[in-house]
């Protein structure tokens, strides 16, 4: 099996299953964190990404509670 074939199969697997493993917003936050640690992204940009992640996640959580009610 060629390296290109293996990589395309890995990419296809990740594309199909990334939502099950991790949310896209969290993946964006992890990417920004990695870029900040490697000094590609400034700390101000990282804060902006973090605030966007927290804000959008809070909206999603509120919408789920509103639609489905509070579950204990």
């Amino acid at each position: 099996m060629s390296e290109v074939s293996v990589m395309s199969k890995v990419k296809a697997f990740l594309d199909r299953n990334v939502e099950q493993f991790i949310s896209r917003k969290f993946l964006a936050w992890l990417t920004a964190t990695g870029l900040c640690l490697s000094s590609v992204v400034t700390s101000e940009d990282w804060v902006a990404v973090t605030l966007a992640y927290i804000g959008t996640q809070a909206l999603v959580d509120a919408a789920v509670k509103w639609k489905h009610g509070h579950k204990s």
Side-chain angles (χ1 to χ4, degrees):
M1 202 180 268
S2 72
E3 185 176 330
V4 173
S5 177
V6 170
M7 289 305 294
S8 65
K9 287 185 179 187
V10 169
K11 184 180 181 311
F13 173 79
L14 291 174
D15 287 343
R16 282 192 315 270
N17 297 299
V18 73
E19 289 185 61
Q20 294 174 3
F21 295 140
I22 193 166
S23 76
R24 289 182 180 150
K25 291 183 298 289
F26 187 59
L27 186 60
W29 181 82
L30 284 176
T31 302
T33 299
L35 291 172
C36 186
L37 291 173
S38 64
S39 299
V40 175
V41 172
T42 66
S43 60
E44 292 85 12
D45 291 338
W46 181 86
V47 169
V49 170
T50 300
L51 290 174
Y53 170 74
I54 292 169
T56 55
Q57 195 60 45
L59 285 173
V60 168
D61 293 343
V64 168
K65 283 184 182 178
W66 175 71
K67 184 174 182 177
H68 299 291
H70 181 70
K71 294 181 181 177
S72 297

